[in-house]
Amino acid sequence: SSLLTYGLSSKIFDCSVVTGKDERNPIKPKPQVAITQKEIASAAGSRFILSDVIEAYRSAVREYGKEKIAVVSTPCQALALRKIDAWGHKIGGKAKIIIGLFCLGAFSTKPFFSYLKEKYGLSAKDITKIHLSRELVLSTKQGAIELPLTEAKALLNLGCKTCIDYTSEVADISVGTAYPLKEWSTVIIRTKEGEEF
């Protein structure tokens, strides 16, 4: 969020593609084009459910007419953006900076929530936050439910189970946890553009 706010205020890029939360259902991800610092701030926090960042990037190019875009993505989404550029796609070449997140996998919305409803009686609207520690912790108004990582891993999107990129190797900058330090992040500069930024 700090990098995006700096880049926007310095006019290094003219918008950011981020994953915020759905107003009606805060646990569900909402890919969006952020043009203001307030919109960037509203998207802060981790999401553990698939988000269509590439569709939001397409929207930034086609609907908003943006030319210098910062994109916050998972490793697979960063790779997709690089392929869009490499293949010379008409929406390519507009990602000024790709900030790739460390990722252990994401859940597919429907199977994940179906499982939670069946096993724990939880609907998506019951969950206020998802946190990863030694377990997958689902916060609700009634308290927290902890899913063992082995149970959570079985619910991951199929493609995530075979992914070999945990740290967004093709991004310009990779950002992830600095566990066990709280309130800290690991930042890896991967490209000349990332270093200059």
mmCIF file of all heavy atoms in Angstrom, residues 17 74-75 81 83 128 178:
data_model
loop_
_atom_site.group_PDB
_atom_site.id
_atom_site.type_symbol
_atom_site.label_atom_id
_atom_site.label_comp_id
_atom_site.label_asym_id
_atom_site.label_seq_id
_atom_site.Cartn_x
_atom_site.Cartn_y
_atom_site.Cartn_z
ATOM 1 N N VAL A 17 -4.034 -1.534 -9.985
ATOM 2 C CA VAL A 17 -4.991 -2.631 -9.996
ATOM 3 C C VAL A 17 -4.761 -3.404 -8.710
ATOM 4 O O VAL A 17 -3.653 -3.885 -8.449
ATOM 5 C CB VAL A 17 -4.808 -3.528 -11.235
ATOM 6 C CG1 VAL A 17 -5.660 -4.779 -11.117
ATOM 7 C CG2 VAL A 17 -5.170 -2.752 -12.494
ATOM 8 N N THR A 74 -0.823 -12.046 -7.666
ATOM 9 C CA THR A 74 -0.218 -13.288 -7.195
ATOM 10 C C THR A 74 0.826 -13.707 -8.234
ATOM 11 O O THR A 74 0.886 -13.134 -9.327
ATOM 12 C CB THR A 74 -1.296 -14.379 -7.050
ATOM 13 O OG1 THR A 74 -1.907 -14.579 -8.318
ATOM 14 C CG2 THR A 74 -2.337 -14.012 -6.001
ATOM 15 N N PRO A 75 1.650 -14.708 -7.919
ATOM 16 C CA PRO A 75 2.665 -15.133 -8.887
ATOM 17 C C PRO A 75 2.084 -15.538 -10.245
ATOM 18 O O PRO A 75 2.627 -15.166 -11.284
ATOM 19 C CB PRO A 75 3.328 -16.324 -8.194
ATOM 20 C CG PRO A 75 3.161 -16.043 -6.734
ATOM 21 C CD PRO A 75 1.813 -15.398 -6.629
ATOM 22 N N LEU A 81 0.517 -11.509 -16.860
ATOM 23 C CA LEU A 81 0.806 -10.165 -17.367
ATOM 24 C C LEU A 81 2.060 -10.168 -18.242
ATOM 25 O O LEU A 81 2.098 -9.506 -19.279
ATOM 26 C CB LEU A 81 0.976 -9.183 -16.206
ATOM 27 C CG LEU A 81 -0.314 -8.801 -15.492
ATOM 28 C CD1 LEU A 81 -0.014 -8.132 -14.160
ATOM 29 C CD2 LEU A 81 -1.173 -7.899 -16.370
ATOM 30 N N LYS A 83 3.139 -12.677 -19.983
ATOM 31 C CA LYS A 83 2.785 -13.343 -21.241
ATOM 32 C C LYS A 83 1.985 -12.414 -22.147
ATOM 33 O O LYS A 83 2.162 -12.415 -23.369
ATOM 34 C CB LYS A 83 2.001 -14.624 -20.958
ATOM 35 C CG LYS A 83 2.876 -15.738 -20.422
ATOM 36 C CD LYS A 83 2.074 -17.009 -20.217
ATOM 37 C CE LYS A 83 2.976 -18.136 -19.753
ATOM 38 N NZ LYS A 83 2.239 -19.404 -19.600
ATOM 39 N N THR A 128 -15.557 -12.621 8.898
ATOM 40 C CA THR A 128 -15.127 -11.221 8.842
ATOM 41 C C THR A 128 -13.672 -11.083 8.409
ATOM 42 O O THR A 128 -13.266 -10.048 7.903
ATOM 43 C CB THR A 128 -15.305 -10.543 10.214
ATOM 44 O OG1 THR A 128 -14.587 -11.286 11.205
ATOM 45 C CG2 THR A 128 -16.780 -10.480 10.588
ATOM 46 N N ALA A 178 7.208 -11.461 6.648
ATOM 47 C CA ALA A 178 8.534 -11.551 7.260
ATOM 48 C C ALA A 178 8.403 -12.355 8.550
ATOM 49 O O ALA A 178 9.025 -12.058 9.553
ATOM 50 C CB ALA A 178 9.092 -10.165 7.537
#
